[in-house]
Amino acid sequence: MMRGPTMLALARQTVHHSWRGYLGAFVALLFGVVLIAVTATLIGSIDATGGRPGVTADQHAQLDGLAAMFAMMSVISAFMALFVVGSTFGFVVAGRQRELGLLRLVGATPRQVRRLLLGESVVVAAAATTVGCLLGTSLAPAVLWLVRAIGITTLDLRAPSPWIAWVVAAPTAAVVALVGVWRSSRRAARIPPGAALREAAIGPARPSIVQVVVATLCFGGLVAAVVASADEPPLLTMLASILLPEVVVIGLMSIGSVVIPRLAALLARPFIGRDVTARMARDEVRAAPRTTAAVAAPVLAISAIAGSLLLTLSLTTDWATAQNRARLRAPLVVEAGSPAAAASIPSDRAVAVADVRRQAALRHDEDGSPGGLDQVEIIDLATASVARGLTATRGTLDDFHGRVVAVTATWVTDAGVDLGGTLPVWIDGQPVPLRVVAVLPDAPDLYAELVIPAGLFPPASVQDTGTVFVVPHTDPATTRESLRRTLAGTDSRILDSGDWIDAAAAQTRQANNFGLTILLGPAGLYAAIAMVNSTLIGAAQRRRQRDLIQLLGASPDQVRRAAIWQAALVCGTGLLLGGGTTALLGWLVRRAITADLAGIAVPITIPWLPLLGIGVTCLLLTAAAATAGIRTRKAPNLADDPA
């Protein structure tokens, strides 16, 4: 049994002596802490800003929207940080097999090895957490300014107490680091003394029983979701497609040391007969399965999550577009330049029906007091039925008068209030119970999820949107010319209904892209750092093998090309698995949409450019990191310690 200093003191000494081995883990945890601290600051700024005196109802509504966006951002960012940090700590430990074998050779017990590794993780986590929280706190004012500068909000968000970020980020980082090392320390404790004679990065890697159980649960949940989604409404399937990528990634990485090297070897098969460096890369990938899986982890995670979100939102827009085309009856749509211009359209003699779109802000009742706001549609049933094809799929619009509300099928799924239920709201400062008399088909650009009869709201609370759906007396061309004369000088636009729907879809896609940039921006930046970091760690762990290859006659150029091939194979495998996850979840959403709109032609738009951009960026980052790892290494010296 080893004697000497305490384990924590020994851990500090080993980290100090072998700091290069833990540098990658420190970097991963540092930026993970910064990411979590920044998202915690953004969420805390909502409460800090909303608690100020003089905040209006519109500003509260804007804060509610920001809270939902920041919450989704924090979930994605936290998953990426926790996933990458745990994976990085694990394979840093796995790369020290020779060193740990030497400790066992001089008398260290398995328990002492575990305690040593946990102590080292505490030392690294303490340093990374302190620096990361300080950096995250210092970045808070700049991040809050950036949120306003790029147009996410017009509000001047107030920074919360810096302790919020510390309280959230510090314990989270410590727990993740310990969990990541704990799993590897149990495996390291079983390393025999004879492992000191073997290379650290080389050896078989079989998943543990726990990993197999986790993978089984994840893939079982995926299969259950696939089966259940056949009978679920599209909204639930779309929500599932946002949450399931994380489940799939966890399942794949639980058995990643078995799956990823084999798949990478298959990708290399077409090239190994043409280029010897491709064969070298293939052999290195198969020989170091844990390192290969860990390097592929950030690529797999960001490609699966970002790809699924991109494809789901694109298919959702296709769904909305198909619904709009199926419901809209008016052949012309006018975007009036002013309320006066909109009011003049019904008086045009060529116009049979002018359905002016009007909306109002409806406040929910929360425990007897006014709550959050919802945008509702104010409908004239006579004109909306003709121009917008307003019909009920359940219930009847014959009762659409008085204190009633019609709701869309999506709202029923989301809110849980069905036909015949009561929606308590506040109108003009008074509590009003609204009875649900009809369920409408979804048509997001034609009317809101809540539809209220005209006359229920005071006129001062109703706002014209400027959109007027026009049904002509005669042919649309004649009506268009007549409207041009009527609206001359009002800066109004007259569009065919098809062109108007296409413009609405393009606007939705633009808003989705902006939203995705906000949601995925921090996580994407962290993923990029993690890709470079893990590739450099992997290159450092393979240094002895590459030195040996050079001593056996390989040229520096061949070693460099083999490193690039290896990065491409590992990254390509991560992209292939991430792309497969995206395709599967996209198929689920597409199936739900076509089932919901049976008999209606639904277009399909795949965002190829952003998806290809993710793949190309990942390949370039890993290839550049692999090249840098080769160029910055020392001259071959097999006497060097691999750690």
Side-chain angles (χ1 to χ4, degrees):
M1 179 180 292
M2 290 178 59
R3 303 291 182 185
T6 65
M7 275 299 161
L8 188 58
L10 182 59
R12 288 198 300 268
Q13 293 174 13
T14 56
V15 171
H16 177 73
H17 174 70
S18 304
W19 62 270
R20 290 182 179 86
Y22 270 109
L23 179 60
F26 174 82
V27 171
L29 185 56
L30 168 65
F31 285 101
V33 170
V34 172
L35 184 62
I36 295 173
V38 167
T39 54
T41 298
L42 289 173
I43 294 176
S45 69
I46 300 298
D47 288 335
T49 305
R52 291 185 300 185
V55 178
T56 65
D58 289 341
Q59 289 174 333
H60 272 297
Q62 191 174 159
L63 288 172
D64 289 341
L66 287 175
M69 175 182 289
F70 292 158
M72 179 63 73
M73 179 197 302
S74 67
V75 169
I76 296 173
S77 300
F79 175 81
M80 283 297 303
L82 305 185
F83 178 76
V84 169
V85 168
S87 174
T88 303
F89 267 83
F91 98 93
V92 165
V93 172
R96 299 175 61 196
Q97 181 170 293
R98 292 183 74 245
E99 179 184 346
L100 298 175
L102 286 171
L103 288 176
R104 296 281 284 117
L105 194 63
V106 298
T109 65
R111 182 182 179 187
Q112 287 176 321
V113 170
R114 285 199 304 269
R115 291 173 58 193
L116 173 64
L117 292 175
L118 290 173
E120 290 174 351
S121 72
V122 169
V123 172
V124 175
T129 299
T130 302
V131 177
C133 285
L134 289 173
L135 186 57
T137 302
S138 64
L139 286 175
V143 171
L144 294 176
W145 171 84
L146 184 63
V147 167
R148 183 175 182 179
I150 63 179
I152 298 177
T153 180
T154 57
L155 299 176
D156 185 13
L157 297 178
R158 174 181 291 182
S161 170
W163 292 111
I164 293 178
W166 284 72
V167 168
V168 173
T172 302
V175 169
V176 171
L178 288 174
V179 170
V181 172
W182 175 80
R183 188 183 67 178
S184 298
S185 68
R186 290 175 60 86
R187 185 168 56 247
R190 296 192 294 269
I191 292 176
L197 303 178
R198 295 198 298 265
E199 292 295 340
I202 295 179
R206 291 181 294 272
S208 65
I209 295 177
V210 173
Q211 289 174 308
V212 172
V213 170
V214 170
T216 302
L217 291 175
C218 289
F219 294 129
L222 176 64
V223 172
V226 171
V227 174
S229 65
D231 300 320
E232 294 294 339
L235 177 63
L236 292 182
T237 304
M238 293 171 192
L239 291 175
S241 69
I242 296 174
L243 300 176
L244 282 176
E246 290 82 356
V247 176
V248 175
V249 168
I250 293 173
L252 286 173
M253 290 310 302
S254 296
I255 55 174
S257 58
V258 174
V259 173
I260 293 177
R262 287 172 169 79
L263 187 55
L266 286 176
L267 290 180
R269 180 172 293 180
F271 309 102
I272 57 177
R274 305 175 184 177
D275 191 341
V276 68
T277 57
R279 181 183 293 273
M280 293 164 56
R282 190 271 313 267
D283 293 342
E284 286 190 6
V285 164
R286 291 195 303 191
R290 296 194 188 280
T291 300
T292 299
V295 173
V299 178
L300 168 60
I302 194 63
S303 61
I305 294 172
S308 297
L309 279 173
L310 280 166
L311 187 55
T312 296
L313 288 180
S314 180
L315 294 177
T316 302
T317 304
D318 292 336
W319 178 51
T321 300
Q323 290 171 320
N324 294 334
R325 292 190 191 280
R327 313 297 173 203
L328 186 58
R329 299 288 184 267
L332 297 176
V333 181
V334 177
E335 294 290 352
S338 65
S344 68
I345 294 175
S347 60
D348 190 299
R349 294 184 177 182
V351 174
V353 175
D355 181 23
V356 182
R357 189 173 186 189
R358 298 183 176 92
Q359 293 182 334
L362 183 69
R363 189 172 292 279
H364 291 294
D365 181 276
E366 296 181 0
D367 299 325
S369 59
L373 293 172
D374 258 337
Q375 202 75 11
V376 299
E377 199 83 15
I378 309 301
I379 286 288
D380 181 337
L381 185 58
T383 60
S385 299
V386 175
R388 285 183 259 181
L390 194 69
T391 56
T393 56
R394 290 190 294 133
T396 176
L397 291 175
D398 293 339
D399 299 328
F400 192 68
H401 52 79
R403 296 185 173 187
V404 299
V405 59
V407 300
T408 63
T410 295
W411 186 90
V412 171
T413 303
D414 190 26
V417 180
D418 209 337
L419 184 67
T422 300
L423 177 64
V425 299
W426 287 71
I427 298 177
D428 200 20
Q430 298 296 322
V432 178
L434 299 180
R435 183 168 57 93
V436 179
V437 297
V439 177
L440 309 174
D442 290 283
D445 294 312
L446 301 186
Y447 44 79
E449 292 184 333
L450 298 175
V451 177
I452 306 292
L456 190 57
F457 268 80
S461 302
V462 178
Q463 179 183 7
D464 285 353
T465 64
T467 302
V468 184
F469 303 98
V470 175
V471 178
H473 263 306
T474 55
D475 62 284
T478 303
T479 304
R480 180 193 292 270
E481 291 301 321
S482 179
L483 286 172
R484 282 177 180 168
R485 292 190 295 269
T486 301
L487 300 173
T490 62
D491 195 25
S492 300
R493 294 188 304 150
I494 306 170
L495 303 171
D496 292 331
S497 58
D499 294 338
W500 180 82
I501 291 173
D502 290 339
Q507 187 175 6
T508 300
R509 293 187 193 280
Q510 184 178 7
N512 287 344
N513 291 338
F514 180 74
L516 283 176
T517 302
I518 304 304
L519 288 176
L520 298 174
L525 178 61
Y526 180 70
I529 295 172
M531 288 177 211
V532 174
N533 185 46
S534 59
T535 303
L536 290 175
I537 297 174
Q541 290 187 355
R542 295 184 177 105
R543 178 167 56 84
R544 286 178 59 86
Q545 288 86 349
R546 287 172 179 161
D547 288 346
L548 178 60
I549 290 172
Q550 282 191 256
L551 290 175
L552 292 175
S555 67
D557 181 64
Q558 286 178 318
V559 173
R560 187 178 303 109
R561 285 163 52 201
I564 295 174
W565 266 112
Q566 186 172 341
L569 291 175
V570 175
C571 181
T573 303
L575 291 174
L576 184 61
L577 293 173
T581 303
T582 298
L584 174 61
L585 298 179
W587 171 76
L588 281 182
V589 174
R590 176 70 181 178
R591 184 180 67 170
I593 288 173
T594 52
D596 182 64
L597 300 178
I600 299 175
V602 183
I604 179 169
T605 306
I606 299 177
W608 290 113
L609 187 60
L611 292 175
L612 290 174
I614 293 173
V616 171
T617 301
C618 292
L619 286 170
L620 290 177
L621 285 172
T622 52
T627 304
I630 291 294
R631 289 185 174 182
T632 58
R633 68 176 181 83
K634 298 186 295 184
N637 184 356
L638 293 181
D640 288 341
D641 190 288

